[in-house]
């Protein structure tokens, strides 16, 4: 990997967030990180794009770790910058960046605030919003994200491992905490899995009048996955599609709790991706997108940012495209096609942390689509859950199989799904894709098989 950031594109982006400036450009902000590079810029990396596909490096937001945050945490770089357009009474342009300063494995951390009139900067540091001390606090002040409730009040979601994910109300005027408190706990995991949860983000879904919480489980090195829960109020409680409360999973349900919408996977002939996570959500008109980082299965020290379309099922659950977004003109077919037929599909069983290889399946549906998203009920015909489960070396049926077999009828598994167009990077053409959720809250995602 070259030391020249101008050659990186979306490579080396970690913990990304994307916003659109008044100049029409898309801005990606990410952690100060680069695989295999000994010397790289510090101060929250910035990239820009005109199309969400090709990214150019544009330096850093702050140029250094701000003095107060560095003194508190000892951080050598900034992590997980969250950038948001801040509402103002007079309509003037104002942007907030919430950055994290810490060291790996420590709770001596700080979330700071910088402001600017444009995402292009210049950015001015405004000091620390919240700080934690390893020997004092059970929670960890990193990985900030901002959400607004129904009344337009701002809230900060934050936390990593240790004491879980918290949410605290902010001042609409200053963007700092309204009260000197850690806020409410909205998600955590037990000590049996090292409390491995971080990278939270909340999206309000007005069509369903509820809040959607995205979090990342497990290790950013190899087993990250994106999980989802929903709530009627921004402060929770958040529950997954199976009804599990994300704040109180037992040791036995530590892996199963949280609807898994994206995990490590590989489609035939394609690149294997592992550890997708630390996502944020953004919109462009009616389209919803997820940006996240991911690692390459065959070169796991390498990481890059990917953007994927997010679609919503009839029951209001987010599902994610199996393929990265390749541009606005790559999602429509020249003519409608039948959904029924042969597909390559992955099943994101929440208990499985390993990369999932796609399997050939047959879908049954009367629907047709030219790539325009359509919410449908589809049947995965005659599927055997054992095809999608890890191989047993003990002869004991894996819990993933037992759970999946409860989803099955004699004819197959029924999915509350969305069919849409996506660019197949192996076939180098637009294909139909689907993502959907089965009766037990397990997500399936697939790409129509290309046979010619």
């Amino acid at each position: 990997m070259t030391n020249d950031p101008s050659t990186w594109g979306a490579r080396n982006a970690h913990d990304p967030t994307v916003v659109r400036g008044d100049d029409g450009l898309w801005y990606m902000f990410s952690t100060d990180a680069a695989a295999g590079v000994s010397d790289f810029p510090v101060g929250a990396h910035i990239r820009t794009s005109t199309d969400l596909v090709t990214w150019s490096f544009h330096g850093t937001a702050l140029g250094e770790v701000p003095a107060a945050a560095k003194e508190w945490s000892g951080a050598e770089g900034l992590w997980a910058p969250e950038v948001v357009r801040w509402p103002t009474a007079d309509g003037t342009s104002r942007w907030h960046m919430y950055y994290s300063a810490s060291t790996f494995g420590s709770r001596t951390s700080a979330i700071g605030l910088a402001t600017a009139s444009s995402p292009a900067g210049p950015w001015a540091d405004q000091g620390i919003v919240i700080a934690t001390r390893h020997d004092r606090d059970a929670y960890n002040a990193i990985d900030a994200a901002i959400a607004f409730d129904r009344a337009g009040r701002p809230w900060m979601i934050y936390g990593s491992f240790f004491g879980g994910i918290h949410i605290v109300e902010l001042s609409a005027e200053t963007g700092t905490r309204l009260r000197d408190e850690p806020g409410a706990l909205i998600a955590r995991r037990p000590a049996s899995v090292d409390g491995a949860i971080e990278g939270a983000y909340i999206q309000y879904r007005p069509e369903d009048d509820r809040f959607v919480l995205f979090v990342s489980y497990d290790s950013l090195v190899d087993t990250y996955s994106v999980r989802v829960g929903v709530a009627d109020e921004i402060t929770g409680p958040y529950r997954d599609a199976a009804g599990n409360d994300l704040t109180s999973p037992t040791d036995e349900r530590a892996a199963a709790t949280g609807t898994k919408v994206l995990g490590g996977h590989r489609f035939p002939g394609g690149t294997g991706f592992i550890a997708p996570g630390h996502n944020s959500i953004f919109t462009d008109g009616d389209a919803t997108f997820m940006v996240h980082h991911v690692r390459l299965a065959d070169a796991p020290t390498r990481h890059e940012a990917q953007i994927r379309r997010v679609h919503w099922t009839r029951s209001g659950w987010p599902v994610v495209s199996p393929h990265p977004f390749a541009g606005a003109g790559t999602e429509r077919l020249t003519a409608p096609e039948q959904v029924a037929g042969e597909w390559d599909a992955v099943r994101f069983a929440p208990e499985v942390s390993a990369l999932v290889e796609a399997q050939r399946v047959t879908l049954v549906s009367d629907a047709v689509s030219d790539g325009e998203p359509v919410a449908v009920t589809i049947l995965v015909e005659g599927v055997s859950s054992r095809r999608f489960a890890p191989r047993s070396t003990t002869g004991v049926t894996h819990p993933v199989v037992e759970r999946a077999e409860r989803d099955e009828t004699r004819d197959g598994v029924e999915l509350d799904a969305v069919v849409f167009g996506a660019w197949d990077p192996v076939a180098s053409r637009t294909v139909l894709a689907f993502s959907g959720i089965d009766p037990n809250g397990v997500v399936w995602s697939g790409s129509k098989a290309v046979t010619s």
Side-chain angles (χ1 to χ4, degrees):
M1 178 65 67
T2 174
N3 281 29
D4 181 3
S6 68
T7 66
W8 292 354
R11 296 192 305 273
N12 289 321
H14 210 270
D15 312 319
T17 190
V18 169
V19 297
R20 194 171 203 171
D22 294 331
D23 56 6
L25 287 176
W26 294 100
Y27 289 79
M28 180 188 293
F29 293 79
S30 62
T31 287
D32 301 337
V37 176
S38 58
D39 185 26
F40 51 81
V42 171
H45 291 180
I46 303 175
R47 293 166 173 82
T48 61
S49 176
T50 60
D51 58 6
L52 296 174
V53 177
T54 302
W55 292 91
S56 300
F57 191 84
H58 277 269
T60 63
L62 292 171
E64 62 182 358
V65 179
K70 185 176 181 66
E71 181 180 358
W72 179 271
S73 66
E76 297 297 326
L78 296 181
W79 296 349
E82 161 74 333
V83 176
V84 60
R85 185 191 296 271
W86 200 258
T88 57
D90 61 3
T92 56
S93 180
R94 182 179 172 191
W95 293 81
H96 283 198
M97 178 174 67
Y98 293 84
Y99 58 81
S100 297
S102 188
T103 55
F104 196 77
S106 174
R107 292 191 301 273
T108 299
S109 310
I111 294 171
L113 170 64
T115 59
S117 60
S118 161
W123 290 90
D125 183 50
Q126 305 298 327
I128 292 174
V129 175
I130 186 171
T132 50
R133 187 72 75 186
H134 193 83
D135 58 1
R136 183 191 69 190
D137 301 303
Y139 55 99
N140 194 13
I142 65 170
D143 290 2
I146 303 300
F148 296 86
D149 64 19
R150 293 183 186 90
R153 293 184 296 258
W155 297 75
M156 183 174 72
I157 308 97
Y158 71 98
S160 172
F161 282 67
F162 303 110
I165 307 300
H166 286 72
I167 183 168
V168 64
E169 190 174 358
L170 302 179
S171 163
E173 180 179 356
T174 66
T176 57
R177 284 185 297 166
L178 201 60
R179 293 171 291 275
D180 184 14
E181 62 181 15
L185 175 70
I186 58 172
R188 66 178 168 188
R189 302 187 72 206
S192 59
V193 291
D194 296 325
I197 184 172
E198 59 186 6
Y201 192 91
I202 290 177
Q203 179 81 0
Y204 176 62
R205 173 82 173 154
E207 293 84 348
D208 303 303
D209 190 27
R210 64 183 185 180
F211 298 88
V212 183
L213 170 67
F214 297 81
V215 292
S216 293
Y217 276 17
D218 299 325
S219 169
L220 62 83
V221 174
D222 52 8
T223 56
Y224 244 13
S225 65
V226 179
R227 308 299 183 106
V228 170
V230 299
D232 293 330
E233 303 298 333
I234 197 168
T235 53
Y238 287 89
R239 297 184 181 277
D240 66 15
N244 298 303
D245 187 340
L246 268 64
T247 61
S248 56
T250 63
D251 288 347
E252 293 74 20
R253 301 292 295 171
T257 298
T259 300
K260 183 178 178 179
V261 296
L262 187 62
H265 63 278
R266 176 165 33 217
F267 283 89
T271 301
F273 296 115
I274 60 172
H278 203 122
N279 76 282
S280 62
I281 301 293
F282 65 97
T283 58
D284 183 21
D286 294 333
T288 303
F289 295 86
M290 171 186 289
V291 59
H292 63 88
H293 67 245
V294 69
R295 295 176 184 270
L296 307 185
D298 295 331
T301 61
R302 290 180 54 189
H303 53 84
E304 63 184 43
Q306 290 183 348
I307 292 172
R308 296 172 188 258
R309 285 288 299 269
V310 175
H311 300 281
W312 302 86
T313 69
R314 287 171 173 166
S315 57
W317 285 91
V319 289
V320 182
S321 174
H323 298 305
F325 181 67
T330 63
E331 297 183 325
R332 299 295 285 270
L333 303 172
T334 56
E337 289 186 4
Q338 295 284 338
V339 172
E342 297 296 299
W343 292 68
D344 295 309
V346 293
R347 179 179 183 273
F348 288 128
E351 300 92 340
V352 176
S353 60
L355 178 147
V356 178
E357 300 280 358
Q359 304 287 329
R360 185 61 56 89
V361 301
T362 300
L363 295 190
V364 179
S365 173
D366 294 330
V368 296
S369 175
D370 66 353
E372 180 71 17
V374 55
V376 293
T377 299
I378 57 179
L379 185 75
V380 186
E381 186 179 53
V383 70
S384 169
S385 301
R386 295 178 186 275
R387 292 172 54 196
F388 291 85
R391 295 179 179 177
S392 172
T393 58
T394 64
V396 177
T397 302
H398 194 282
V400 173
V401 176
E402 294 178 346
R403 183 179 182 188
E405 287 176 343
R406 295 199 302 270
D407 301 345
E408 297 175 5
T409 68
R410 183 177 59 186
D411 299 320
V413 179
E414 193 172 83
L415 303 179
D416 176 23
V418 183
V419 174
F420 47 89
W423 182 259
D424 183 332
V426 175
S428 295
R429 54 169 281 193
T430 302
V431 297
L432 289 183
F434 85 89
S435 290
I437 189 166
D438 69 25
N440 273 350
V442 178
V443 170
W444 301 61
S445 188
S447 182
K448 198 166 189 183
V450 177
T451 56
S452 62

